[in-house]
Amino acid sequence: MKLKNKLVLTGAATMVALFLGVSANAARMDMVDVSNNNGYMSTVEYVSMRNEFGVKALTVKISEGTTFKDGYAASNIANGQAAGLYVNGYHFAHYKTKDQAIAEADYAGQAAKVAGLPVGAVLATDVEAEEQGNLSQATNDRNNAAFMQEIQKFGYRADIYTSGSWANNKMTIKGKTGWVAGYPYVMSGQKWYTNNNAWQWSGSAHFRISYGGFDVSQLYTDYYTAGQKSTVKPTNKDAVKDNNKKVNKPYTAAKWVNEKKTYTLKTAVKLRAGVSTLSSAIAILPAGTTVKTDKAIIKGGYRWVRQPRFNGYGYLVTGPASNTLEYVKSGATHTYYTVKPGDSWWTIAQRNGLSMTTLASQNGKTIYTTIYPGQRLVVR
């Protein structure tokens, strides 16, 4: 008989990085992307990234939808260029139709010009919003093609950023194109999405003199470093090597074990594409869902479980009733706040009498997760 486990998932996401392990023989920090969520970034910080961590390229958030222009885009572009980095941009997409895609491309292109993004840089479309998740692959492909064709009219090269669970599922990412995000549990010997331009392998990398976590990517082609001139190289190769080892340091205490079980969920839980609360959510499984699993990672009472699916695997983070890692409240009455342009975790938390950590955790996020205008957050 299959063992039935009743899980009560009623804690906060307080151990985001517990199972996010990486190793020294893994990915390079070739490219970092920044937005208003990172605050003001100085030339000195970018020089440190270049000289001590081997960063080559910078990709700056430019805009979102047709209503938001990132207020830090101009300074990020100017300071990144002054540090000798190749500078690119990205636009967070909300389009659902071809006409909307063209309108967003025009908005992004104009904003990029004003912010000083150099001609020849990449201006990628970041396609990971709820709107695209509800569309067919054919519709997303049509819309992405329209955006990229329009953005080229401004003198920029185009590309698509999306999660690994959406690549060639929710949208087509052809070989030698694309910037794909996927965060492995163990980085040792891993090279994901080698047929694409870039692989974003962490959303929480830390740099010596910069506050907070950053998205970092390994480049497989010169697409994100082409078309711009830079003769500046890292000046401390030993530091680059040592810092790469630190950021890729393995977490060896947690291991997969065979564990075939059937779980009945007492609350809604996010099914994720990878073994990290930074990984994209495939779906939200409602309370009462039966989940059959084949493996687990067990550490100090917490566990990740793996669910075999028709097209691979899904992962759920679970744990004891008193202190679990992640949950989605179901059936409760909440007070919501809609994120406005210029908002940050700090400003919203202060406005509602909360700490940033509490605010983020009660929304199943961390303070390093980027928030966007129009997004709804639980504040009570």
Side-chain angles (χ1 to χ4, degrees):
M1 290 182 59
K2 291 188 170 108
L3 177 63
K4 292 264 184 184
N5 293 276
K6 298 287 186 176
L7 298 185
V8 182
L9 305 177
T10 55
T14 57
M15 298 178 69
V16 170
L18 177 63
F19 299 114
L20 183 61
V22 290
S23 85
N25 297 319
R28 300 183 306 270
M29 293 184 285
D30 292 332
M31 182 167 72
V32 61
D33 53 285
V34 296
S35 70
N36 59 296
N37 194 56
N38 298 110
Y40 177 79
M41 297 290 295
S42 67
T43 298
V44 173
E45 289 179 275
Y46 289 132
V47 169
S48 173
M49 290 180 178
R50 181 200 74 208
N51 288 348
E52 301 174 41
F53 296 83
V55 173
K56 303 173 184 176
L58 176 69
T59 302
V60 174
K61 183 174 182 179
I62 300 295
S63 53
E64 180 171 342
T66 55
T67 59
F68 176 76
K69 297 176 182 178
D70 195 303
Y72 290 100
S75 62
N76 279 324
I77 290 168
N79 294 344
Q81 286 180 308
L85 299 178
Y86 297 97
V87 179
N88 305 286
Y90 74 92
H91 167 83
F92 192 91
H94 288 286
Y95 49 72
K96 295 187 289 185
T97 68
K98 181 179 179 180
D99 287 344
Q100 289 173 350
I102 293 172
E104 289 195 27
D106 288 337
Y107 184 81
Q110 292 165 11
K113 289 290 187 184
V114 172
L117 188 68
V119 170
V122 176
L123 208 172
T125 178
D126 180 343
V127 190
E128 55 177 322
E130 181 180 354
E131 290 91 338
Q132 292 93 23
N134 295 323
L135 301 176
S136 69
Q137 182 171 344
T139 300
N140 280 325
D141 286 348
R142 178 200 65 193
N143 297 343
N144 290 341
F147 179 97
M148 292 192 293
Q149 182 176 357
E150 187 72 10
I151 210 69
Q152 291 175 49
K153 295 179 181 179
F154 294 88
Y156 299 124
R157 294 175 295 126
D159 203 9
I160 302 172
Y161 168 91
T162 194
S163 68
S165 61
W166 281 25
N168 299 313
N169 178 16
K170 284 293 183 181
M171 64 199 69
T172 302
I173 305 295
K174 296 179 180 179
K176 304 305 179 184
T177 73
W179 173 19
V180 184
Y183 306 152
Y185 160 58
V186 176
M187 288 293 296
S188 180
Q190 299 285 355
K191 279 192 175 182
W192 289 14
Y193 311 113
T194 57
N195 199 38
N196 300 111
N197 286 324
W199 167 35
Q200 185 185 96
W201 56 272
S202 177
S204 58
H206 292 271
F207 295 96
R208 185 178 64 83
I209 63 172
S210 298
Y211 173 78
F214 293 82
D215 297 335
V216 293
S217 302
Q218 174 160 313
L219 301 178
Y220 295 119
T221 71
D222 67 354
Y223 195 68
Y224 283 84
T225 57
Q228 301 169 72
K229 295 181 179 180
S230 176
T231 59
V232 182
K233 305 295 181 183
T235 58
N236 192 334
K237 294 182 180 179
D238 288 337
V240 171
K241 184 177 180 181
D242 290 343
N243 287 323
N244 186 259
K245 286 182 179 179
K246 290 177 183 177
V247 81
N248 287 279
K249 186 177 180 181
Y251 187 87
T252 58
K255 298 180 180 179
W256 283 110
V257 296
N258 292 324
E259 187 183 72
K260 291 187 177 181
K261 292 186 177 181
T262 300
Y263 293 91
T264 301
L265 305 178
K266 283 192 174 180
T267 65
V269 182
K270 290 181 181 179
L271 181 69
R272 293 194 174 271
V275 189
S276 166
T277 51
L278 298 173
S279 293
S280 59
I282 300 172
I284 295 179
L285 305 180
T289 301
T290 298
V291 179
K292 295 181 179 180
T293 69
D294 66 344
K295 288 183 179 292
I297 298 172
I298 305 170
K299 173 64 179 175
Y302 301 94
R303 67 180 63 215
W304 280 90
V305 292
R306 188 175 80 172
Q307 178 197 37
R309 295 168 63 81
F310 70 94
N311 60 345
Y313 296 99
Y315 302 88
L316 297 89
V317 60
T318 69
S322 61
N323 190 12
T324 52
L325 298 180
E326 183 183 40
Y327 70 106
V328 179
K329 288 186 177 179
S330 178
T333 300
H334 298 300
T335 300
Y336 291 92
Y337 174 80
T338 301
V339 179
K340 299 178 177 59
D343 277 340
S344 66
W345 285 117
W346 185 86
T347 58
I348 298 171
Q350 289 291 305
R351 192 177 298 130
N352 291 279
L354 301 169
S355 70
M356 289 193 295
T357 302
T358 299
L359 175 63
S361 66
Q362 70 187 23
N363 284 276
K365 303 179 186 300
T366 78
I367 60 172
Y368 304 127
T369 304
T370 302
I371 54 177
Y372 302 99
Q375 187 173 354
R376 291 209 313 165
L377 298 176
V378 176
V379 294
R380 293 286 186 278

